[in-house]
mmCIF file with all atom_site columns, all heavy atoms in Angstrom:
data_model
loop_
_atom_site.group_PDB
_atom_site.id
_atom_site.type_symbol
_atom_site.label_atom_id
_atom_site.label_alt_id
_atom_site.label_comp_id
_atom_site.label_asym_id
_atom_site.label_entity_id
_atom_site.label_seq_id
_atom_site.pdbx_PDB_ins_code
_atom_site.Cartn_x
_atom_site.Cartn_y
_atom_site.Cartn_z
_atom_site.occupancy
_atom_site.B_iso_or_equiv
_atom_site.pdbx_formal_charge
_atom_site.auth_seq_id
_atom_site.auth_comp_id
_atom_site.auth_asym_id
_atom_site.auth_atom_id
_atom_site.pdbx_PDB_model_num
ATOM 1  N N   . ILE A 1 23  ? -13.039 1.952   -10.428 1.00 71.00 ? 42  ILE A N   1
ATOM 2  C CA  . ILE A 1 23  ? -13.221 0.511   -10.546 1.00 71.00 ? 42  ILE A CA  1
ATOM 3  C C   . ILE A 1 23  ? -14.455 0.115   -9.720  1.00 71.00 ? 42  ILE A C   1
ATOM 4  O O   . ILE A 1 23  ? -14.631 0.592   -8.619  1.00 71.00 ? 42  ILE A O   1
ATOM 5  C CB  . ILE A 1 23  ? -11.978 -0.225  -10.078 1.00 71.00 ? 42  ILE A CB  1
ATOM 6  C CG1 . ILE A 1 23  ? -10.845 0.089   -11.059 1.00 71.00 ? 42  ILE A CG1 1
ATOM 7  C CG2 . ILE A 1 23  ? -12.178 -1.709  -9.941  1.00 71.00 ? 42  ILE A CG2 1
ATOM 8  C CD1 . ILE A 1 23  ? -9.506  -0.447  -10.719 1.00 71.00 ? 42  ILE A CD1 1
ATOM 9  N N   . HIS A 1 110 ? 5.323   3.342   -10.229 1.00 93.00 ? 129 HIS A N   1
ATOM 10 C CA  . HIS A 1 110 ? 4.295   3.699   -11.199 1.00 93.00 ? 129 HIS A CA  1
ATOM 11 C C   . HIS A 1 110 ? 3.071   4.387   -10.598 1.00 93.00 ? 129 HIS A C   1
ATOM 12 O O   . HIS A 1 110 ? 2.496   5.269   -11.207 1.00 93.00 ? 129 HIS A O   1
ATOM 13 C CB  . HIS A 1 110 ? 3.838   2.455   -11.988 1.00 93.00 ? 129 HIS A CB  1
ATOM 14 C CG  . HIS A 1 110 ? 4.841   2.063   -13.017 1.00 93.00 ? 129 HIS A CG  1
ATOM 15 N ND1 . HIS A 1 110 ? 5.910   1.273   -12.694 1.00 93.00 ? 129 HIS A ND1 1
ATOM 16 C CD2 . HIS A 1 110 ? 4.969   2.404   -14.318 1.00 93.00 ? 129 HIS A CD2 1
ATOM 17 C CE1 . HIS A 1 110 ? 6.666   1.117   -13.787 1.00 93.00 ? 129 HIS A CE1 1
ATOM 18 N NE2 . HIS A 1 110 ? 6.121   1.792   -14.770 1.00 93.00 ? 129 HIS A NE2 1
ATOM 19 N N   . CYS A 1 120 ? 5.563   12.722  0.498   1.00 95.00 ? 139 CYS A N   1
ATOM 20 C CA  . CYS A 1 120 ? 5.484   11.266  0.299   1.00 95.00 ? 139 CYS A CA  1
ATOM 21 C C   . CYS A 1 120 ? 6.798   10.636  0.709   1.00 95.00 ? 139 CYS A C   1
ATOM 22 O O   . CYS A 1 120 ? 7.858   11.032  0.225   1.00 95.00 ? 139 CYS A O   1
ATOM 23 C CB  . CYS A 1 120 ? 5.189   11.068  -1.193  1.00 95.00 ? 139 CYS A CB  1
ATOM 24 S SG  . CYS A 1 120 ? 5.054   9.406   -1.684  1.00 95.00 ? 139 CYS A SG  1
ATOM 25 N N   . LYS A 1 121 ? 6.791   9.652   1.612   1.00 96.00 ? 140 LYS A N   1
ATOM 26 C CA  . LYS A 1 121 ? 8.035   9.034   2.044   1.00 96.00 ? 140 LYS A CA  1
ATOM 27 C C   . LYS A 1 121 ? 7.953   7.511   1.877   1.00 96.00 ? 140 LYS A C   1
ATOM 28 O O   . LYS A 1 121 ? 6.977   6.902   2.346   1.00 96.00 ? 140 LYS A O   1
ATOM 29 C CB  . LYS A 1 121 ? 8.302   9.376   3.505   1.00 96.00 ? 140 LYS A CB  1
ATOM 30 C CG  . LYS A 1 121 ? 8.689   10.825  3.701   1.00 96.00 ? 140 LYS A CG  1
ATOM 31 C CD  . LYS A 1 121 ? 9.380   11.009  5.052   1.00 96.00 ? 140 LYS A CD  1
ATOM 32 C CE  . LYS A 1 121 ? 9.645   12.486  5.261   1.00 96.00 ? 140 LYS A CE  1
ATOM 33 N NZ  . LYS A 1 121 ? 8.615   13.156  6.095   1.00 96.00 ? 140 LYS A NZ  1
ATOM 34 N N   . GLU A 1 130 ? 21.258  -4.675  14.344  1.00 94.00 ? 149 GLU A N   1
ATOM 35 C CA  . GLU A 1 130 ? 21.471  -5.013  15.769  1.00 94.00 ? 149 GLU A CA  1
ATOM 36 C C   . GLU A 1 130 ? 20.651  -4.055  16.639  1.00 94.00 ? 149 GLU A C   1
ATOM 37 O O   . GLU A 1 130 ? 20.013  -4.485  17.592  1.00 94.00 ? 149 GLU A O   1
ATOM 38 C CB  . GLU A 1 130 ? 22.937  -4.931  16.136  1.00 94.00 ? 149 GLU A CB  1
ATOM 39 C CG  . GLU A 1 130 ? 23.773  -6.073  15.573  1.00 94.00 ? 149 GLU A CG  1
ATOM 40 C CD  . GLU A 1 130 ? 23.311  -7.438  16.064  1.00 94.00 ? 149 GLU A CD  1
ATOM 41 O OE1 . GLU A 1 130 ? 22.994  -7.569  17.263  1.00 94.00 ? 149 GLU A OE1 1
ATOM 42 O OE2 . GLU A 1 130 ? 23.242  -8.353  15.225  1.00 94.00 ? 149 GLU A OE2 1
ATOM 43 N N   . GLY A 1 152 ? 2.812   7.776   3.509   1.00 98.00 ? 171 GLY A N   1
ATOM 44 C CA  . GLY A 1 152 ? 3.983   6.956   3.820   1.00 98.00 ? 171 GLY A CA  1
ATOM 45 C C   . GLY A 1 152 ? 3.801   5.626   3.146   1.00 98.00 ? 171 GLY A C   1
ATOM 46 O O   . GLY A 1 152 ? 2.697   5.064   3.146   1.00 98.00 ? 171 GLY A O   1
ATOM 47 N N   . HIS A 1 168 ? 10.827  -18.744 9.499   1.00 98.00 ? 187 HIS A N   1
ATOM 48 C CA  . HIS A 1 168 ? 12.172  -19.031 10.042  1.00 98.00 ? 187 HIS A CA  1
ATOM 49 C C   . HIS A 1 168 ? 12.247  -18.555 11.508  1.00 98.00 ? 187 HIS A C   1
ATOM 50 O O   . HIS A 1 168 ? 12.905  -17.553 11.787  1.00 98.00 ? 187 HIS A O   1
ATOM 51 C CB  . HIS A 1 168 ? 13.236  -18.326 9.244   1.00 98.00 ? 187 HIS A CB  1
ATOM 52 C CG  . HIS A 1 168 ? 13.260  -18.654 7.776   1.00 98.00 ? 187 HIS A CG  1
ATOM 53 N ND1 . HIS A 1 168 ? 13.724  -19.880 7.333   1.00 98.00 ? 187 HIS A ND1 1
ATOM 54 C CD2 . HIS A 1 168 ? 12.858  -17.969 6.696   1.00 98.00 ? 187 HIS A CD2 1
ATOM 55 C CE1 . HIS A 1 168 ? 13.616  -19.921 6.009   1.00 98.00 ? 187 HIS A CE1 1
ATOM 56 N NE2 . HIS A 1 168 ? 13.097  -18.765 5.608   1.00 98.00 ? 187 HIS A NE2 1
ATOM 57 N N   . ASN A 1 174 ? 16.866  -12.632 21.254  1.00 85.00 ? 193 ASN A N   1
ATOM 58 C CA  . ASN A 1 174 ? 16.860  -11.898 22.529  1.00 85.00 ? 193 ASN A CA  1
ATOM 59 C C   . ASN A 1 174 ? 15.448  -11.754 23.135  1.00 85.00 ? 193 ASN A C   1
ATOM 60 O O   . ASN A 1 174 ? 15.142  -10.694 23.674  1.00 85.00 ? 193 ASN A O   1
ATOM 61 C CB  . ASN A 1 174 ? 17.446  -10.488 22.381  1.00 85.00 ? 193 ASN A CB  1
ATOM 62 C CG  . ASN A 1 174 ? 18.831  -10.546 21.707  1.00 85.00 ? 193 ASN A CG  1
ATOM 63 O OD1 . ASN A 1 174 ? 19.444  -11.613 21.611  1.00 85.00 ? 193 ASN A OD1 1
ATOM 64 N ND2 . ASN A 1 174 ? 19.307  -9.399  21.289  1.00 85.00 ? 193 ASN A ND2 1
ATOM 65 N N   . GLY A 1 178 ? 10.206  -18.656 26.432  1.00 92.00 ? 197 GLY A N   1
ATOM 66 C CA  . GLY A 1 178 ? 8.810   -19.040 26.238  1.00 92.00 ? 197 GLY A CA  1
ATOM 67 C C   . GLY A 1 178 ? 8.684   -19.816 24.951  1.00 92.00 ? 197 GLY A C   1
ATOM 68 O O   . GLY A 1 178 ? 9.572   -19.776 24.098  1.00 92.00 ? 197 GLY A O   1
ATOM 69 N N   . ASP A 1 191 ? -0.925  -7.552  18.844  1.00 98.00 ? 210 ASP A N   1
ATOM 70 C CA  . ASP A 1 191 ? -0.115  -6.308  18.928  1.00 98.00 ? 210 ASP A CA  1
ATOM 71 C C   . ASP A 1 191 ? -0.295  -5.467  17.671  1.00 98.00 ? 210 ASP A C   1
ATOM 72 O O   . ASP A 1 191 ? -0.450  -4.244  17.708  1.00 98.00 ? 210 ASP A O   1
ATOM 73 C CB  . ASP A 1 191 ? 1.375   -6.644  19.084  1.00 98.00 ? 210 ASP A CB  1
ATOM 74 C CG  . ASP A 1 191 ? 1.712   -7.178  20.415  1.00 98.00 ? 210 ASP A CG  1
ATOM 75 O OD1 . ASP A 1 191 ? 0.881   -7.044  21.382  1.00 98.00 ? 210 ASP A OD1 1
ATOM 76 O OD2 . ASP A 1 191 ? 2.819   -7.748  20.597  1.00 98.00 ? 210 ASP A OD2 1
ATOM 77 N N   . GLU A 1 216 ? 4.278   -19.958 -10.583 1.00 97.00 ? 235 GLU A N   1
ATOM 78 C CA  . GLU A 1 216 ? 4.818   -19.997 -11.976 1.00 97.00 ? 235 GLU A CA  1
ATOM 79 C C   . GLU A 1 216 ? 5.289   -18.615 -12.370 1.00 97.00 ? 235 GLU A C   1
ATOM 80 O O   . GLU A 1 216 ? 6.308   -18.467 -13.025 1.00 97.00 ? 235 GLU A O   1
ATOM 81 C CB  . GLU A 1 216 ? 3.736   -20.445 -12.993 1.00 97.00 ? 235 GLU A CB  1
ATOM 82 C CG  . GLU A 1 216 ? 3.154   -21.832 -12.778 1.00 97.00 ? 235 GLU A CG  1
ATOM 83 C CD  . GLU A 1 216 ? 2.248   -21.884 -11.551 1.00 97.00 ? 235 GLU A CD  1
ATOM 84 O OE1 . GLU A 1 216 ? 1.294   -21.099 -11.483 1.00 97.00 ? 235 GLU A OE1 1
ATOM 85 O OE2 . GLU A 1 216 ? 2.502   -22.715 -10.616 1.00 97.00 ? 235 GLU A OE2 1
ATOM 86 N N   . GLU A 1 316 ? 1.444   45.311  -5.841  1.00 95.00 ? 335 GLU A N   1
ATOM 87 C CA  . GLU A 1 316 ? 1.246   45.866  -7.193  1.00 95.00 ? 335 GLU A CA  1
ATOM 88 C C   . GLU A 1 316 ? 1.869   47.258  -7.343  1.00 95.00 ? 335 GLU A C   1
ATOM 89 O O   . GLU A 1 316 ? 2.458   47.564  -8.345  1.00 95.00 ? 335 GLU A O   1
ATOM 90 C CB  . GLU A 1 316 ? -0.272  45.996  -7.501  1.00 95.00 ? 335 GLU A CB  1
ATOM 91 C CG  . GLU A 1 316 ? -1.039  44.682  -7.504  1.00 95.00 ? 335 GLU A CG  1
ATOM 92 C CD  . GLU A 1 316 ? -1.021  44.002  -8.838  1.00 95.00 ? 335 GLU A CD  1
ATOM 93 O OE1 . GLU A 1 316 ? -0.287  44.441  -9.757  1.00 95.00 ? 335 GLU A OE1 1
ATOM 94 O OE2 . GLU A 1 316 ? -1.757  42.992  -8.998  1.00 95.00 ? 335 GLU A OE2 1
#
Side-chain angles (χ1 to χ4, degrees):
I42 292 175
H129 284 85
C139 180
K140 290 198 184 97
E149 287 301 318
H187 300 288
N193 308 346
D210 287 345
E235 300 71 55
E335 297 271 9

